[in-house]
Amino acid sequence: CQKLKDISPLTNWDVSNCMKMVGMFKNSGIRNLSGISKWTLEHINDLSFMFFNTLIYNLEPLERWDLEYCSDISFMFANCCQIYSLKNIKYWKVHNVKFFNNMFENCFKLSFLSPISKWDFSNCVNASKMFGGDTALRHKMPNNLKSFKIEYLI
């Protein structure tokens, strides 16, 4: 899968009836997500490991994704060491997500978590190691994450 670098041909894929995209691009060589920016995810309930260990850095193409019915985004961006900002996913509706664990584990370039300060974690069951491995974020937790024990998030 490391040879997969260009996903622009996927622009017109109809994924509106998909329910799971587990590990879809895992370990691939993709950097640019613009080819999937217009995907409709209204029935997706599991995006775990979707971009695990890829070279993506800019989440802007995912800005309009609707995760309202998704329950699992664990490991979604884990080991994506080039991601530096979460500002483009700040409006994601995550109130039905139960599993956030390891979502941004080893994303060492992240420096601010404030963009996700409006995320609703009320249905969260597991957020362990959501930012695992990045101890620099220890003192930068937004208020909506402070109810979790910091040890579990990092």
Side-chain angles (χ1 to χ4, degrees):
C1 208
Q2 288 182 334
K3 291 182 180 181
L4 176 64
K5 296 181 186 327
D6 181 16
I7 58 174
S8 59
L10 307 180
T11 299
N12 294 319
W13 271 19
D14 181 2
V15 297
S16 61
N17 290 316
C18 290
M19 295 182 73
K20 296 180 186 277
M21 293 187 172
V22 178
M24 188 172 196
F25 301 110
K26 182 179 178 181
N27 297 320
S28 71
I30 61 170
R31 292 178 183 268
N32 187 336
L33 299 174
S34 59
I36 58 174
S37 65
K38 295 179 182 173
W39 280 6
T40 302
L41 305 179
E42 61 194 35
H43 295 112
I44 300 288
N45 61 30
D46 193 344
L47 293 171
S48 61
F49 291 92
M50 187 172 189
F51 303 107
F52 180 87
N53 201 35
T54 62
L55 301 172
I56 61 171
Y57 58 92
N58 181 4
L59 300 179
E60 184 176 0
L62 309 182
E63 187 170 28
R64 289 185 168 77
W65 274 19
D66 182 359
L67 303 187
E68 190 162 3
Y69 300 104
C70 193
S71 63
D72 192 347
I73 53 178
S74 62
F75 292 92
M76 188 175 184
F77 301 107
N79 294 342
C80 293
C81 302
Q82 301 304 314
I83 294 175
Y84 59 90
S85 174
L86 302 178
K87 73 178 182 179
N88 296 108
I89 59 172
K90 68 182 177 183
Y91 295 116
W92 276 8
K93 296 176 185 170
V94 296
H95 58 275
N96 288 317
V97 175
K98 294 179 181 175
F99 303 100
F100 292 89
N101 52 293
N102 308 82
M103 185 178 184
F104 299 104
E105 183 174 22
N106 298 325
C107 293
F108 300 116
K109 289 191 176 184
L110 282 178
S111 57
F112 297 104
L113 299 178
S114 56
I116 62 169
S117 64
K118 302 278 188 219
W119 279 14
D120 179 355
F121 289 93
S122 59
N123 285 311
C124 179
V125 172
N126 187 349
S128 64
K129 296 187 179 180
M130 185 174 177
F131 304 98
D134 196 343
T135 55
L137 294 174
R138 181 176 296 277
H139 302 291
K140 298 178 181 181
M141 290 292 154
N143 288 334
N144 60 332
L145 286 172
K146 287 185 179 173
S147 63
F148 297 102
K149 290 189 175 185
I150 297 297
E151 300 82 50
Y152 296 132
L153 296 173
I154 297 182

